[in-house]
Amino acid sequence: MRIPEKIETKRLVLRKLNHVDAPAIYEGIKVKDVSRWLTAVPYPYPKDLALKFVLESILEFENAKGFSFGIVIKGKTKEPAGLVTLDRLDYGNKSAALGYWLGKKHWGQGYMSEAVKEVLSFGFHTLKLHRIWSNVYPENPASERILLKSGFILEGREREKYFKEGAWRDYLYYGLLEEEYK
Ligand SMILES: CC(C)(COP(=O)(O)OP(=O)(O)OC[C@H]1O[C@@H](n2cnc3c(N)ncnc32)[C@H](O)[C@@H]1OP(=O)(O)O)[C@@H](O)C(=O)NCCC(=O)NCCS
């Protein structure tokens, strides 16, 4: 299995992270509207966490445990404006989790749909996965729309799973199987 360190789409370059990307990751993720629906990301976001995250992501990538691709927008950004990730790799069961975020100023231009399309191809064609899954809060319709547009099926809803921003939040489970992707 040959893992590409760089995947090109029409408008994007998806590439393995480098330690010098930490400040760009910090600038994007520290914004509350970006981090608010990412369960593992704290707000406020401590600056040193970005470098720790980037270094861990590089190690995971090199050990094929998870693949975080920085999203560089051709002609607009030199550094990653966001991330699209396949992690929680379970090679025995051929499954992985999809996650993503994009810097707020780049929202609404179809970039994440474009990035997700390529990463799904990477997951199903290169990694030969059988199943890719993702979680989303019902209060995050832009993210849910990306999953639905990409063919994901709603598989379940955990009621009031997280207490976030002063309220109990449900959590939705989406999945996409190899044969549904084709
Ligand atoms: C979710 C996120 C990645 C979307 O990125 P993006 O590049 O703006 O997404 P796209 O433009 O490719 O697609 C968004 C889709 O949602 C739709 N959308 C946007 N806001 C919406 C809303 N409030 N209600 C319904 N649909 C909405 C858009 O119209 C678009 O659908 P379309 O292509 O059919 O028109 C970005 O908003 C983000 O980083 N949010 C914070 C982090 C996050 O939520 N990550 C996902 C956690 S599960």
Side-chain angles (χ1 to χ4, degrees):
M1 179 171 62
R2 197 195 140 267
I3 304 295
E5 294 199 350
K6 190 169 121 177
I7 302 173
E8 282 210 43
T9 72
K10 191 163 163 241
R11 298 180 296 164
L12 309 172
V13 177
L14 312 178
R15 63 159 175 78
K16 182 183 164 191
L17 292 175
N18 185 295
H19 71 278
V20 298
D21 295 328
I25 297 297
Y26 173 70
E27 286 306 313
I29 200 86
K30 73 176 186 188
V31 175
K32 191 171 190 185
D33 282 345
V34 173
S35 66
R36 63 193 299 215
W37 303 124
L38 302 169
T39 43
V41 178
Y43 181 86
Y45 191 87
K47 203 168 188 174
D48 55 347
L49 199 55
L51 181 59
K52 187 170 176 276
F53 166 80
V54 167
L55 294 176
E56 282 171 6
S57 297
I58 294 169
L59 261 185
E60 280 207 340
F61 198 110
E62 286 170 355
N63 293 315
K65 287 188 168 167
F67 301 96
S68 276
F69 292 95
I71 302 172
V72 176
I73 305 172
K74 290 180 189 172
K76 280 199 177 169
T77 69
K78 288 206 169 67
E79 287 149 344
L83 288 180
V84 59
T85 298
L86 275 185
D87 63 5
R88 315 275 289 271
L89 263 296
D90 176 349
Y91 288 104
N93 292 303
K94 295 179 163 230
S95 72
L98 170 72
Y100 43 79
W101 65 264
L102 187 66
K104 194 172 177 185
K105 65 180 171 198
H106 302 292
W107 290 4
Q109 296 169 73
Y111 289 133
M112 195 53 79
S113 303
E114 196 169 318
V116 164
K117 188 166 177 251
E118 284 307 309
V119 166
L120 291 179
S121 170
F122 166 69
F124 287 118
H125 294 142
T126 307
L127 299 179
K128 308 261 188 278
L129 296 177
H130 178 61
R131 167 183 160 79
I132 295 178
W133 55 275
S134 194
N135 292 129
V136 62
Y137 289 95
E139 297 89 346
N140 189 357
S143 179
E144 198 173 3
R145 172 89 188 115
I146 291 175
L147 296 177
L148 288 167
K149 266 197 330 183
S150 306
F152 280 75
I153 308 279
L154 180 63
E155 297 176 332
R157 180 181 196 114
E158 272 192 281
R159 295 172 307 136
E160 304 199 356
K161 182 173 170 81
Y162 291 110
F163 191 78
K164 211 165 167 47
E165 297 186 354
W168 288 105
R169 310 281 174 183
D170 291 0
Y171 209 40
L172 304 180
Y173 287 73
Y174 275 90
L176 177 62
L177 302 180
E178 187 185 8
E179 63 264 30
E180 294 158 350
Y181 169 74
K182 278 169 190 159

